């Protein structure tokens, strides 16, 4: 899937700054990466059982 | 008595043996009985005293303090478990995994152009790096809170905090022909029914990591785990079995624990795979319906590490080449298997002894190498005392609600035997070391009974600090389902503390900056007044308000209050992950019956040295400045401990 989105001039300037500062090669790369990060956050938040399973191996938690 | 500072500038050697959980009261008792002659000799030459642990006295916190020579405010490690304040999610404090970046699709595979990595969350510079600045070699063997190992030119091997290849802290596998056992929901376990066919063959699988390189047909589906099949040919007459896995052949008699077997998990066939290793333990091979096979968590192989476990990266493989494969999991003894009754006491002891034997072999190798140098430091860590005391405490504690007189008769000797074994290890090192070398034997905390447990979330709910949407406490419910964050002022996560629901910090925080301190004072007073309804005893000795006790560097990660429990009490393990229980204080009915998650003044660490020190009661954070001083290095500004010499 590809999609075009419109953003304000101010946001475009901020995006350029992020690209330069973080070393992204392109706007597409930055957007892909930020979407992935947000997606991972949601997954982490929804995945508490998985986290509990991981942590339970510590022994301190049943 | 040896005086460091009079020793020559060259030829300085220092050995530190770290016995996690070695309790000074037990050491003293055994010394008095004449059962720890080597520790006695060491203390006669130098010092034997108790040492102040960290706040809280949890191993990752304490060893982090040891590494940085500073309090947890500098290391940023305050508990085994921290939380993400944005969404209240618990997370492992010591490290985090960052996924690969910039993924491209190649056929049916996703290939990250920038691979994922694991980040160490411990802050502050390690003492061994200050030694490196002066070209003083150090070998740091399995110190906790160093996974992945921080970048260093020194030889370091990661310890507690090192996960298995699945990224967990130890998920084992059990194949059992007992239908009831196979249907149990056990924590930290993969349990399968063992079907042994008419030819006495059982087919099984070892579950590997989830393969997120494969493009799933359903984009919302979880990636599937890579599995490796194996076959077991059982001889019930002789109670033996042959296990065939990936061309390896393992022969076991009933009750026998295997060697390490490396397993390759293919991610992209012929292109990319991950190597792990397991041991098999044939628990029972009596008949088709009395067959049980245990498989360890899939550990990172030191010979082919799938994740970084050493500096330099080749160090673990070099060691494996010299002494054979060895355990890498941070907490290697499978306490969970004993808690789940998958292991009997005997099974656990067999595994624990095997781990200890590997450690001794590695120590011998490293000690030999160390003695070939004129100058340097060797730190070597042992986990067996800690894990053993967690699991065996109730055997020697008739007041414990999980005291089993029969088990006590059979295995009550075991804890003290671990101490005597520690003493024999000290004796081996003493014998090998020249007189002018310094020796320090230390622990990170002591030990105490864990008889009763406090569910802090349930207490907060009953006191009205944690608002529940259902209105009343439901055992087994989680704060994630029940908490009404818009009305909650506090919540607990982790093993020693809890947090205010602070506005501007927590995702749905309501406590203002002005309300913070008075609220902390109010809760502290109430916590310190809690008594056990069963005995009338005080449950919490001191509730420490974090901002009064830690350096400010990383205090934003700290719980707002650290609970200093009295001996005998600990946080309820459900509460640590946000689960509620109907009773606020309950019995601990588990083999995990000893603990140290208490007030540090109730579980001091041990300090035995070949040299004199300048404080009656040293602090854990003083050890790193002492090491540096021994090698002529002034205490760096980062460290707030002080040299003991």
């Amino acid at each position: 899937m590809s999609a075009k989105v419109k953003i304000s001039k101010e946001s475009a300037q901020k995006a350029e700054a992020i690209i330069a500062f973080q070393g992204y090669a392109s706007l597409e790369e930055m957007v892909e990466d930020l979407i992935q990060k947000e997606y991972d956050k949601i997954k982490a938040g929804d995945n508490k059982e998985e986290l509990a399973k991981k942590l339970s191996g510590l022994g301190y938690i049943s | 008595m040896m005086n460091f500072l009079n020793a020559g500038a060259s030829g300085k050697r220092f050995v530190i043996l770290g016995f996690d959980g070695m309790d000074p009261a037990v050491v003293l008792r055994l010394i008095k009985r004449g059962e720890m002659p080597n520790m006695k000799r060491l203390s006669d030459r130098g010092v034997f005293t108790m040492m102040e642990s960290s706040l809280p006295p949890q191993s990752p916190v304490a060893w982090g303090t040891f590494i940085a020579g500073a309090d947890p405010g500098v290391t940023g490690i305050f508990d085994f478990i921290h939380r993400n304040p944005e969404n209240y999610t618990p997370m492992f404090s010591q490290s985090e995994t960052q996924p690969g970046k910039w993924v491209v699709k190649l056929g049916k595979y996703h290939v990250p152009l920038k691979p994922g990595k694991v980040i160490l969350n411990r802050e502050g510079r390690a003492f061994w790096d200050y030694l490196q600045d002066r070209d003083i070699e150090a070998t740091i063997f399995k110190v906790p809170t160093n996974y992945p190992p921080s970048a260093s030119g020194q030889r370091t091997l990661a310890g507690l905090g090192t996960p298995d290849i699945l990224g967990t802290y130890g998920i084992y596998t059990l194949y059992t022909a007992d239908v009831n056992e196979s249907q149990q929901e056990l924590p930290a376990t993969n349990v399968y029914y063992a079907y042994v066919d008419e030819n006495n063959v059982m087919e099984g699988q070892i579950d590997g990591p989830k393969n997120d390189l494969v493009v799933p047909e359903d984009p919302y589906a979880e990636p599937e785990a890579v599995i490796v099949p194996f076959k077991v040919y059982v001889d019930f007459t002789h109670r033996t079995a042959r296990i065939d896995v990936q061309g390896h052949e393992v022969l076991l008699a009933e009750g026998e624990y295997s060697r390490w077997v490396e397993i390759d998990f293919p991610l992209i066939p012929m292109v990319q795979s991950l190597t792990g290793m397991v041991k098999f333990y044939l628990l029972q091979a009596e008949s088709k319906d009395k067959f049980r096979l245990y498989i360890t968590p899939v550990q990172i192989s030191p010979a082919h590490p799938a994740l970084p476990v050493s500096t330099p990266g080749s160090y673990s493989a070099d060691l494996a080449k010299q002494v054979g494969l060895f355990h890498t999991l941070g907490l290697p003894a499978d306490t969970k298997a004993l808690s789940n009754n998958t292991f009997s006491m005997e099974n656990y002891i067999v595994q624990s002894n095997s781990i200890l034997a590997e450690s001794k072999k590695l120590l011998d190798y490293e000690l030999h190498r160390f003695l070939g140098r004129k100058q340097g430091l060797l730190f070597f860590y042992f986990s067996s005392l800690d894990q053993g005391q967690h699991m065996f405490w109730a055997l020697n504690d008739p007041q414990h609600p999980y005291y089993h007189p029969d088990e006590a008769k059979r295995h009550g000797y075991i804890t003290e035997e671990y101490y005597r074994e520690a003493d024999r290890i000290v004796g081996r090192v003493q014998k090998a070391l020249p007189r002018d070398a310094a020796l320090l034997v230390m622990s990170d905390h002591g030990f105490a009974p864990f008889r009763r447990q406090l569910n802090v979330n349930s207490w907060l709910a009953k006191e009205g600090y944690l608002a529940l949407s259902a209105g009343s406490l439901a055992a087994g419910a989680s704060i994630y389902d029940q908490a009404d964050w818009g009305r909650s002022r506090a919540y607990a996560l982790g093993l020693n503390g809890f947090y205010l629901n602070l506005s501007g910090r927590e995702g749905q925080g309501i406590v203002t900056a002005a309300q913070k301190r008075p609220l902390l004072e109010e809760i502290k007073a109430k916590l310190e007044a809690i008594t056990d309804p069963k005995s009338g005893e005080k449950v919490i000795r001191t509730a420490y308000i974090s901002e009064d006790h830690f350096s400010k560097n990383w205090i934003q990660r700290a719980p707002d209050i650290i609970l200093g429990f009295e001996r005998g009490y600990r946080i309820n393990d459900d509460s640590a992950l946000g689960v509620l229980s109907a009773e606020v204080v309950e019995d601990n009915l588990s083999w995990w019956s000893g603990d140290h998650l208490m007030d540090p003044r109730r579980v001091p660490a041990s300090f035995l040295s070949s040299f004199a020190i300048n404080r009656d009661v040293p602090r854990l954070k003083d050890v790193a400045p002492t090491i540096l001083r021994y090698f002529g290095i002034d205490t760096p500004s980062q460290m707030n401990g002080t040299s003991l010499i």
Side-chain angles (χ1 to χ4, degrees):
Chain A
M1 183 180 80
S2 66
K4 284 185 180 176
V5 291
K6 276 190 175 178
I7 56 174
S8 66
K9 195 176 173 184
E10 190 185 341
S11 293
Q13 283 171 344
K14 283 180 186 168
E16 276 177 24
I18 295 169
I19 290 166
F21 187 72
Q22 300 281 10
Y24 291 109
S26 66
L27 178 65
E28 285 75 18
E29 195 177 272
M30 182 196 81
V31 171
E32 289 279 347
D33 189 43
L34 294 182
I35 288 172
Q36 185 63 45
K37 278 181 182 162
E38 286 306 308
Y39 181 72
D40 290 341
K41 268 191 211 169
I42 294 166
K43 272 181 75 180
D46 286 344
N47 212 1
K48 294 180 184 77
E49 277 186 17
E50 187 72 12
L51 279 167
K53 192 177 176 189
K54 281 187 176 181
L55 291 167
S56 65
L58 286 171
Y60 288 86
I61 299 160
S62 63
Chain B
M1 196 178 295
M2 180 179 167
N3 184 339
F4 278 153
L5 300 178
N6 291 338
S10 63
K12 284 188 161 188
R13 288 183 285 196
F14 198 159
V15 173
I16 302 174
L17 299 178
F19 290 98
D20 203 303
M22 187 168 72
D23 187 81
V26 181
V27 174
L28 181 62
R29 185 171 78 224
L30 293 178
I31 283 180
K32 281 185 175 171
R33 292 206 317 236
E35 295 176 25
M36 292 186 99
N38 298 302
M39 301 245 193
K40 168 79 166 56
R41 193 175 310 120
L42 182 63
S43 66
D44 286 348
R45 190 175 156 204
V47 171
F48 167 37
T49 182
M50 63 177 71
M51 174 161 64
E52 187 182 304
S53 184
S54 58
L55 175 69
Q58 296 186 28
S59 295
V61 184
W63 289 110
T65 291
F66 163 74
I67 291 168
D71 72 278
V74 174
T75 67
I77 305 292
F78 295 91
D79 198 295
F80 266 107
I81 297 168
H82 287 171
R83 89 320 180 196
N84 177 350
E86 281 177 33
N87 57 13
Y88 306 88
T89 309
M91 57 194 189
F92 193 55
S93 63
Q94 296 173 58
S95 60
E96 61 186 285
T97 304
Q98 293 188 342
K101 277 184 178 178
W102 309 323
V103 176
V104 295
K105 194 176 164 190
L106 290 175
K108 62 183 282 200
Y109 298 104
H110 278 142
V111 180
L113 298 180
K114 189 170 180 187
K117 57 181 176 180
V118 191
I119 309 284
L120 175 67
N121 285 334
R122 194 198 75 234
E123 312 291 346
R125 198 164 185 234
F127 69 81
W128 53 83
D129 289 328
Y130 292 101
L131 296 178
Q132 191 190 329
D133 291 345
R134 302 288 184 94
D135 294 326
I136 298 162
E137 272 189 51
T139 299
I140 308 296
F141 203 92
K142 290 207 170 194
V143 74
T145 327
N146 192 38
Y147 174 81
S150 54
S152 176
Q154 304 280 26
R155 258 192 298 270
T156 70
L157 188 72
L160 189 154
T162 308
D164 60 21
I165 202 167
L166 309 184
T168 79
Y169 300 98
I171 291 189
Y172 68 90
T173 300
L174 173 70
Y175 275 89
T176 174
D178 179 332
V179 177
N180 292 333
E181 188 179 29
S182 72
Q183 290 174 348
Q184 274 182 305
E185 289 270 338
L186 295 173
T189 317
N190 294 319
V191 186
Y192 296 109
Y193 176 66
Y195 171 69
V196 184
D197 69 15
E198 65 279 10
N199 297 314
N200 291 342
V201 178
M202 191 210 88
E203 294 189 18
Q205 66 181 47
I206 298 170
D207 295 344
K210 286 181 179 166
N211 190 354
D212 51 11
L213 298 186
V214 174
V215 179
E217 287 180 14
D218 173 1
Y220 299 103
E222 281 287 310
E224 288 194 9
V226 186
I227 57 170
V228 168
F230 66 90
K231 278 188 182 179
V232 187
Y233 300 86
V234 196
D235 176 348
F236 291 115
T237 310
H238 298 97
R239 297 197 179 190
T240 56
R242 192 188 86 206
I243 300 163
D244 287 359
V245 55
Q246 288 188 334
H248 301 283
E249 205 172 81
V250 181
L251 298 174
L252 289 178
E254 189 178 68
E256 200 177 353
Y257 192 42
S258 80
R259 61 181 163 81
W260 288 110
V261 180
E262 281 196 315
I263 307 286
D264 281 322
F265 295 93
L267 300 178
I268 303 175
M270 314 296 284
V271 175
Q272 193 174 350
S273 66
L274 289 180
T275 304
M277 61 176 196
V278 297
K279 282 192 177 199
F280 297 90
Y281 194 173
L282 186 59
L283 299 173
Q284 195 175 26
E286 196 177 330
S287 62
K288 283 186 182 182
D289 56 357
K290 288 183 179 172
F291 176 82
R292 298 169 78 238
L293 177 69
Y294 163 93
I295 307 169
T296 61
V298 186
Q299 301 198 18
I300 297 166
S301 165
H304 304 96
L307 293 160
V309 292
S310 69
T311 60
S314 58
Y315 174 44
S316 67
D318 292 344
L319 269 175
K321 199 172 170 186
Q322 296 298 326
V323 299
L325 294 171
F326 56 88
H327 58 276
T328 55
L329 188 65
L331 287 166
D334 205 335
T335 56
K336 195 57 76 179
L338 181 55
S339 294
N340 290 343
N341 291 317
T342 297
F343 274 179
S344 64
M345 275 286 170
E346 286 86 354
N347 297 148
Y348 180 86
I349 291 166
V350 166
Q351 186 186 57
S352 178
N353 287 345
S354 157
I355 291 162
L356 191 55
E358 276 177 13
S359 295
K360 287 195 293 186
K361 204 166 153 187
L362 289 158
L363 172 64
D364 283 349
Y365 177 77
E366 282 301 346
L367 194 58
H368 178 75
R369 173 157 52 189
F370 174 78
L371 291 171
R373 304 200 300 256
K374 285 189 174 171
Q375 180 178 257
L377 177 108
L378 171 63
F379 170 87
F380 202 95
Y381 171 85
F382 291 89
S383 62
S384 298
L385 263 183
D386 177 82
Q387 293 197 273
Q389 288 179 102
H390 277 302
M391 304 314 289
F392 300 134
W393 193 279
L395 295 174
N396 301 106
D397 182 5
Q399 291 179 58
H400 200 288
Y402 210 59
Y403 178 69
H404 287 62
D406 292 344
E407 288 286 2
K409 258 185 214 165
R410 273 189 293 165
H411 298 112
Y413 71 94
I414 192 72
T415 304
E416 289 189 351
E417 181 52 27
Y418 278 118
Y419 274 84
R420 287 187 284 268
E421 182 58 28
D423 186 72
R424 289 190 279 272
I425 290 166
V426 171
R428 279 152 84 107
V429 173
Q430 276 177 319
K431 201 172 169 188
L433 279 185
R435 186 81 182 164
D436 65 346
L439 175 61
L440 169 61
V441 176
M442 60 175 282
S443 63
D444 54 336
H445 52 70
F447 248 85
F450 166 28
R451 300 180 186 128
R452 301 269 289 161
Q453 49 188 340
L454 175 77
N455 191 312
V456 186
N457 280 308
S458 297
W459 181 83
L460 288 168
K462 284 200 169 169
E463 293 293 321
Y465 296 109
L466 175 64
L468 302 175
S469 51
S472 62
L473 274 176
S478 155
I479 58 170
Y480 301 109
D481 308 322
Q482 294 255 327
D484 179 347
W485 296 114
R487 294 188 297 122
S488 293
R489 288 180 289 166
Y491 63 101
L493 282 171
L495 294 164
N496 265 104
F498 71 87
Y499 301 85
L500 296 184
N501 191 23
L502 201 59
S503 177
R505 185 182 70 180
E506 265 70 11
Q508 299 174 61
I510 60 165
V511 176
T512 65
Q515 292 168 330
K516 182 183 171 188
R517 187 72 200 196
L519 184 57
L520 287 173
E521 299 282 1
E522 176 187 314
I523 296 177
K524 172 183 164 68
K526 285 190 180 179
L527 283 165
E528 291 174 356
I530 296 175
T531 53
D532 184 342
K534 193 172 170 184
S535 64
E537 288 174 2
K538 202 168 145 66
V539 174
I540 291 169
R541 181 186 179 278
T542 308
Y544 296 90
I545 296 177
S546 294
E547 61 191 19
D548 299 341
H549 295 277
F550 297 125
S551 298
K552 305 298 178 212
N553 312 31
W554 292 96
I555 199 167
Q556 69 273 23
R557 294 182 187 172
D560 292 305
I561 285 184
I562 305 278
L563 300 170
F565 285 93
E566 282 290 356
R567 282 174 76 88
Y569 294 91
R570 205 203 85 172
I571 208 162
N572 179 305
D573 48 10
D574 284 341
S575 181
L577 291 178
V579 176
L580 301 152
S581 53
E583 297 295 322
V584 171
V585 188
E586 294 177 314
D587 277 342
N588 168 32
L589 297 172
S590 162
W591 280 125
W592 188 278
S593 54
D595 219 305
H596 47 83
L597 306 180
M598 295 156 195
D599 191 304
R601 293 181 208 186
R602 294 293 188 245
V603 282
S606 299
F607 184 102
L608 295 103
S609 63
S610 61
F611 48 88
I613 59 172
N614 56 22
R615 285 180 82 109
D616 289 338
V617 180
R619 302 164 301 179
L620 198 50
K621 65 182 181 179
D622 296 332
V623 177
T626 307
I627 296 166
L628 297 186
R629 179 78 179 118
Y630 175 67
F631 289 104
I633 302 170
D634 291 338
T635 303
S637 58
Q638 161 197 290
M639 297 186 178
N640 51 33
T642 54
S643 170
L644 298 166
I645 55 174

